[in-house]
Amino acid sequence: MQRRTEESTCPALVFFAVYREGTNMGIGRQELNGAWKLRGADGQRGAVKTHHLFETDAAKWMDATVPGEVHLELMKQGLIEEPTEGLNALSARWVEENLWSYRRSFTASEEAIGNHAWLIFEGLDYHAKIYLNEELIGEHANFYRPCKVAVTGKLRKENLLVIVLDSGLHMAGNKSIEGYYENSQDHELHKRIWLRKPQSSFGWDWSTRLVNVGIHKPVALEWATSVRLDDVVVLSEVNETMDEAVVTVRAFVEGCGENPVSGKLTVRIGEDTNAAVQSFDYTIEPGMQRLEAKCTVANPKLWWPAGHGEQHLANVEVELHAADELAGKRSKRIGFRKLRINQDPHPSGGSYFYLEVNDRPVFAKGANAIPPDMIFQRADRARYEGLISRALEANFNFLRVWGGGIYETDDFYELCDEHGIMVWQDFVFACADYPVTDATFMSNVKQEAIHNVRRLAHHPSLVMYCGNNENEWHTFYREEGIIYPDYALYHHILPRIVQAEDPGRYYQPSSPFSPDHQYPNANDRGDQHPWTVGFENNDFRDYREMICRFPNEGGILGTTSLSATNACLPEGGGSVLSYAWQQHDNAVDSWFALSAPDKQISDWIGLDPRSMSIEQFVYYGGLIQGEGLREYIDNFRRRMFDCASAIFWMFNDCWPATRSWTVVDYYLNRTPAFYPVKRAFQPISVVAAKEGQTVRIFGINETEQTWSGELQVGLFRFSGAYVMDERLKVELPPNTSVCVLEFSDAQWEEAGITDTAVFARLLNEQEDTVARNRLILPRFVEMKWDKPHIEVVREDTYAVFRSDVFAWGVCIDLDGTEPLPDNFFDIWPGMAYRIPWPEDRALPAVRYVGNLVE
């Protein structure tokens, strides 16, 4: 079967490396990466108007590398210091205000000069004026999509290429932001809503301002004799019974001549001798067009999320020949899986919202991902490998790519495909209205959306698109008559692009979002951002009552690793609340008259964070955050699948912070809250909850098999005595949460809630602890604490911890550089707690314990 479809939307300006295979080539590519020259201009010094001329003062240009970024080049020259450290980001503010020119010469081949030719810029940041041999040949202003400029007939043997870049501040300087954002004073400094580049680079609560500028992706000269393969999109669909899949290949092809030519598209699916190969014949007309081919795959091996099965992937190779010459070759890796977002009516009102992958409900466990670095170009594959490794270590199966950063990279998605991390991708619009009534802006946005949907469409890890972050929530109660300038973008333009370019993929207009024109952050339908906890209200016990269907952004501030905290401060030390500390602190610290994050610490443990040492601050701030995130996760997991996610804010940092929402800091270290989150996300888990006058114990089993073992449950006093201690056989059905025991709270009340905790643990047949948890009702400052006497001994390949009284938040490490079996754990009175520990490694030392005693 074959079909040729005229393209009805703007072509995606994308280029993947051409393979130089075969003997008859109608295409060519010359890389223009590597050594370039760079020069800045501030309006008085630098004379940017001369930068594109052949004649120049070579001594005033510095060495630079493409791909790259201006801040990185200035660091190499010793002109600025590493912006992530200390106060260096403030010292580098001048960089974004300058204009910057990249310059290089290149020799073009006779093939390039004599054929149809294009310059391909895969990533320009931001407003670029492109000069070839002193002639302005093109402009571009979008971080998120490539730029392709035709240079047919413009090439010489020796050529001068110059790109003059504005970070975006000059381009947006005369734009109005009136009515677009409630905090106009902030937006007057940058007018980010007009600029299609990472919104968070202009500053967010968790990041400083560092406006990037540069050529951040490869540059090449490409040529073709008669036909050029511009892009390939591969779509796959699995049938209802999952015994057959259809692979659809869309080849975007440009006919370069004036007459039609014959073409052959060959599709190869699979590996080696098992690969299926099909060819399709076409007539390729002049201009851009879409060629479409469909192939059937019998009994496909399925792709599963992490923890639910294997991540089977298949290679799809696409090769185009035209007029008996190779016109291009691309390769994609796909995964076959059936996906549904179940939004059936819920018996108690509203609707469900959960993922069904291959007909199996999957509880989404994870967090929100932001760009891994404030200088985006240096987030390489190794960095993404580290992040995905941390996500898997913490028992994640889901990441939400938040809408104020980037459309995540190919490296990110390839790794998520390989490891089973499901991805929610926001389009990059966040916390503002956007000026889509401006025709130029809207055209730019459409091309950006088309390009990125095509780029991501083949990834099995991508489970949904979302139009924006929080915009609909923020505008829901606006008075009648106020214009919603971007409503049509999210409700009409973007969903139509998704339907056309990636048909069948779930899309929703905003997050949070409720269908049927209900309040966007309603708890009983759609997805939720449960931010009634986390800012002025620090009482995370309120999570225990939430009944959200799909919570995917809520959290508690805490601390990063000790080394990340120290990197924020001047060499030789610093202190809590020093000026450098404040610059790296989360901006929520400044949102209210008095510091809400400081109050969180004093309210929960009765200590003044400003009188703490840096180590104490890291420990106690992280200890409280870990408690809050555990409460968040426990509450939503015990309700599966009435609730179908526990996705918190947030996963990672883009720079070192003294206070953050994250469980993985900028250096990929595990923060103090990492291990409480990891335990809460275990496939087999147990949760104790108080509902009215009843205590209920929930067993959670996310595996495919029934889990059988024992439940030990009861009450212990912090001072050491067990008021209640019972054991019973339990079975946990697969992929569900069940209440395995309930009892009246009368005995707990009688024992005194300030001195006791409910405990529960699951044991296997070998008496090993599989999961454990406890429930404390008052704030920690209200509890009656005893000083613990902790003993650590070795038993075979285990380190065994014992304490005469309850020991809270035992810390054996604050650096987070190495994976540990556990950290920030409790020791229950008189009950050994065992963690694996190599025999050749010294026993761990207790660094801190949280008990609030002198």
Side-chain angles (χ1 to χ4, degrees):
M1 183 184 296
Q2 64 188 48
R3 185 164 79 248
R4 176 183 178 277
T5 305
E6 293 293 338
E7 188 173 13
S8 59
T9 54
C10 297
L13 303 182
V14 65
F15 183 80
F16 294 90
V18 173
Y19 291 80
R20 287 190 159 277
E21 298 175 0
T23 57
N24 196 16
M25 301 286 291
I27 54 172
R29 180 178 170 96
Q30 178 181 352
E31 302 292 340
L32 299 178
N33 303 317
W36 286 59
K37 294 293 184 177
L38 176 68
R39 187 180 180 189
D42 66 3
Q44 287 287 343
R45 293 164 181 82
V48 71
K49 66 181 180 181
T50 69
H51 289 188
H52 67 290
L53 302 178
F54 286 111
E55 187 176 16
T56 190
D57 188 343
K60 293 180 179 178
W61 293 76
M62 67 183 78
D63 292 335
T65 302
V66 170
E69 197 276 340
V70 170
H71 291 87
L72 298 179
E73 303 302 340
L74 298 178
M75 279 188 273
K76 293 177 187 176
Q77 299 291 331
L79 298 174
I80 63 172
E81 303 289 332
E82 167 59 55
T84 61
E85 297 176 355
L87 295 172
N88 296 336
L90 297 179
S91 302
R93 183 69 68 89
W94 61 273
V95 177
E96 68 190 50
E97 298 171 351
N98 278 14
L99 297 175
W100 295 93
S101 297
Y102 283 81
R103 177 185 180 102
R104 70 158 292 166
S105 299
F106 67 93
T107 302
S109 67
E110 292 298 328
E111 291 84 356
I113 296 171
N115 281 295
H116 302 276
W118 301 265
L119 282 168
I120 309 294
F121 303 89
E122 295 188 24
L124 295 171
D125 189 8
Y126 176 70
H127 181 208
K129 293 183 177 180
I130 302 163
Y131 295 87
L132 180 66
N133 299 325
E134 297 190 346
E135 178 187 354
L136 178 65
I137 60 170
E139 293 190 50
H140 186 77
N142 195 305
F143 175 93
Y144 300 116
R145 62 179 177 89
C147 172
K148 182 180 73 173
V149 182
V151 292
T152 305
K154 297 181 182 296
L155 291 171
R156 308 172 183 176
K157 183 67 174 177
E158 300 300 328
N159 299 272
L160 173 66
L161 179 60
V162 177
I163 296 92
V164 179
L165 290 166
D166 157 25
S167 70
L169 299 185
H170 297 280
M171 185 181 189
N174 65 348
K175 301 295 185 180
S176 172
I177 62 166
E178 185 68 29
Y180 287 115
Y181 191 73
E182 61 187 20
N183 185 358
S184 59
Q185 184 179 15
D186 172 52
H187 273 222
E188 285 287 359
L189 296 174
H190 50 68
K191 302 180 180 180
R192 67 170 172 87
I193 57 173
W194 287 94
L195 302 174
R196 298 311 302 149
K197 63 186 293 177
Q199 302 289 274
S200 60
S201 64
F202 300 97
W204 223 266
D205 66 289
W206 37 265
S207 175
T208 192
R209 171 174 171 155
L210 194 85
V211 183
N212 288 203
V213 58
I215 304 175
H216 63 100
K217 289 185 178 180
V219 179
L221 172 67
E222 182 188 300
W223 59 93
T225 303
S226 61
V227 172
R228 174 180 177 271
L229 180 60
D230 187 77
D231 191 14
V232 165
V233 175
V234 179
L235 308 171
S236 61
E237 184 179 3
V238 177
N239 68 358
E240 283 297 313
T241 54
M242 295 181 288
D243 59 0
E244 185 177 274
V246 174
V247 175
T248 300
V249 174
R250 291 176 171 178
F252 295 89
V253 176
E254 184 172 0
C256 304
E258 297 180 355
N259 300 309
V261 296
S262 60
K264 182 185 292 291
L265 191 73
T266 302
V267 180
R268 179 186 180 96
I269 304 173
E271 307 283 349
D272 304 327
T273 57
N274 295 321
V277 182
Q278 287 185 264
S279 294
F280 305 83
D281 295 322
Y282 302 91
T283 297
I284 300 173
E285 304 287 347
M288 184 66 70
Q289 61 221 268
R290 188 180 81 195
L291 311 181
E292 188 165 293
K294 291 184 180 292
C295 306
T296 301
V297 177
N299 300 311
K301 292 183 178 180
L302 299 178
W303 182 95
W304 288 91
H308 292 267
E310 297 292 323
Q311 289 78 52
H312 293 291
L313 298 169
N315 284 331
V316 178
E317 294 184 358
V318 180
E319 191 171 290
L320 178 68
H321 281 80
D324 298 323
E325 293 181 328
L326 179 65
K329 185 175 181 179
R330 303 288 189 274
S331 179
K332 305 279 187 178
R333 193 165 55 160
I334 65 172
F336 299 108
R337 53 108 178 98
K338 182 181 173 185
L339 176 67
R340 178 192 179 211
I341 309 300
N342 188 321
Q343 298 190 71
D344 292 343
H346 192 281
S348 65
S351 56
Y352 288 100
F353 192 106
Y354 63 85
L355 296 158
E356 288 181 356
V357 182
N358 303 329
D359 291 338
R360 176 183 172 89
V362 175
F363 190 92
K365 304 184 299 182
N368 285 256
I370 63 163
D373 202 296
M374 60 198 294
I375 300 178
F376 306 101
Q377 196 273 333
R378 65 180 174 185
D380 58 10
R381 190 176 184 91
R383 187 158 185 81
Y384 279 109
E385 286 173 345
L387 283 169
I388 298 305
S389 174
R390 297 293 182 274
L392 295 168
E393 185 184 346
N395 293 309
F396 284 19
N397 63 16
F398 194 99
L399 288 169
R400 175 186 175 226
V401 180
W402 170 78
I406 61 175
Y407 302 90
E408 265 300 353
T409 66
D410 295 337
D411 286 335
F412 172 89
Y413 273 99
E414 288 169 8
L415 291 164
C416 288
D417 290 346
E418 292 171 10
H419 296 288
I421 300 293
M422 299 178 290
V423 182
W424 166 312
Q425 175 71 63
D426 280 358
F427 286 89
V428 181
F429 304 93
C431 302
D433 299 337
Y434 286 83
V436 297
T437 54
D438 181 276
T440 300
F441 184 88
M442 175 62 98
S443 175
N444 198 4
V445 164
K446 284 181 179 179
Q447 293 179 68
E448 167 193 315
I450 291 168
H451 165 69
N452 281 287
V453 173
R454 289 178 180 175
R455 180 176 67 88
L456 300 177
H458 65 282
H459 290 288
S461 57
L462 176 62
V463 296
M464 58 184 74
Y465 296 105
C466 179
N468 66 71
N469 173 74
E470 296 186 345
N471 292 355
E472 190 143 331
W473 183 24
H474 291 169
T475 60
F476 186 74
Y477 285 120
R478 281 188 179 170
E479 295 178 4
E480 186 176 351
I482 295 180
I483 296 174
Y484 298 79
D486 48 4
Y487 186 88
L489 173 63
Y490 311 127
H491 286 264
H492 300 289
I493 304 300
L494 292 179
R496 287 160 60 187
I497 288 173
V498 171
Q499 178 59 31
E501 306 297 344
D502 191 3
R505 192 88 62 173
Y506 177 79
Y507 169 89
Q508 70 178 39
S510 188
S511 180
F513 180 75
S514 297
D516 305 321
H517 306 289
Q518 300 297 307
Y519 174 59
N521 208 22
N523 285 324
D524 65 348
R525 68 199 71 209
D527 67 313
Q528 294 76 35
H529 292 193
W531 280 118
T532 53
V533 175
F535 299 121
E536 285 187 288
N537 176 23
N538 62 54
D539 194 348
F540 44 74
R541 294 173 298 181
D542 290 352
Y543 288 138
R544 300 172 184 176
E545 308 301 322
M546 293 184 182
I547 59 166
C548 304
R549 295 287 186 244
F550 198 87
N552 66 356
E553 188 188 313
I556 292 290
L557 275 168
T559 54
T560 58
S561 71
L562 183 59
S563 59
T565 304
N566 285 332
C568 302
L569 305 175
E571 188 174 351
S575 62
V576 176
L577 211 64
S578 66
Y579 191 74
W581 179 283
Q582 293 178 60
Q583 293 303 305
H584 287 262
D585 200 352
N586 191 281
V588 173
D589 182 64
S590 303
W591 286 6
F592 310 99
L594 298 176
S595 171
D598 282 357
K599 188 172 183 293
Q600 175 178 300
I601 295 175
S602 59
D603 283 354
W604 274 99
I605 60 174
L607 301 178
D608 177 11
R610 298 181 182 184
S611 65
M612 292 178 179
S613 69
I614 291 171
E615 274 204 19
Q616 289 173 322
F617 183 92
V618 169
Y619 171 74
Y620 281 111
L623 180 63
I624 295 167
Q625 182 189 28
E627 292 286 348
L629 292 179
R630 180 187 60 80
E631 293 278 7
Y632 183 95
I633 295 166
D634 283 353
N635 174 67
F636 297 129
R637 285 195 79 199
R638 75 179 177 90
R639 299 175 188 272
M640 64 185 290
F641 281 93
D642 289 335
C643 173
S645 73
I647 301 162
F648 61 89
W649 185 266
M650 62 188 188
F651 176 46
N652 61 299
D653 270 320
C654 68
W655 81 319
T658 54
R659 187 155 29 196
S660 183
W661 306 99
T662 61
V663 294
V664 176
D665 69 27
Y666 174 68
Y667 300 105
L668 303 185
N669 298 329
R670 301 151 186 86
T671 74
F674 180 89
Y675 289 95
V677 165
K678 176 183 176 180
R679 292 193 298 269
F681 276 149
Q682 290 177 165
I684 304 292
S685 190
V686 63
V687 175
K690 186 174 182 294
E691 298 178 346
Q693 280 70 54
T694 302
V695 177
R696 292 188 170 92
I697 308 299
F698 294 85
I700 300 163
N701 175 13
E702 285 187 298
T703 72
E704 296 182 63
Q705 306 297 323
T706 296
W707 184 88
S708 300
E710 281 195 330
L711 169 70
Q712 182 182 10
V713 64
L715 294 163
F716 60 67
R717 295 189 185 278
F718 279 22
S719 58
Y722 282 76
V723 180
M724 170 187 168
D725 189 354
E726 299 179 0
R727 294 177 71 149
L728 65 151
K729 298 285 187 182
V730 294
E731 285 193 348
L732 306 182
N735 203 34
T736 192
S737 169
V738 294
C739 179
V740 292
L741 178 71
E742 59 181 50
F743 57 90
S744 169
D745 70 348
Q747 192 171 1
W748 195 1
E749 293 283 351
E750 183 179 341
I753 61 171
T754 61
D755 187 35
T756 55
V758 169
F759 71 91
R761 67 170 179 153
L762 297 172
L763 301 97
N764 61 19
E765 293 180 356
Q766 292 75 39
E767 294 283 309
D768 297 323
T769 299
V770 175
R772 64 175 196 157
N773 214 329
R774 42 80 175 162
L775 177 62
I776 296 171
L777 293 185
R779 290 183 186 259
F780 303 116
V781 71
E782 300 164 358
M783 302 296 294
K784 298 177 182 177
W785 294 94
D786 292 272
K787 188 172 183 178
H789 301 280
I790 299 173
E791 176 190 36
V792 187
V793 300
R794 184 185 301 281
E795 293 181 4
D796 299 323
T797 56
Y798 290 87
V800 182
F801 297 77
R802 292 185 177 87
S803 174
D804 53 339
V805 301
F806 177 71
W808 173 44
V810 175
C811 169
I812 59 176
D813 174 67
L814 278 178
D815 298 319
T817 56
E818 297 182 21
L820 297 173
D822 207 355
N823 196 14
F824 281 80
F825 52 82
D826 299 337
I827 307 172
W828 295 353
M831 190 179 297
Y833 186 66
R834 298 155 54 89
I835 63 174
W837 203 259
E839 292 182 277
D840 60 351
R841 187 174 182 179
L843 282 173
V846 174
R847 191 163 181 173
Y848 281 96
V849 65
N851 293 31
L852 302 174
V853 292
E854 294 296 331

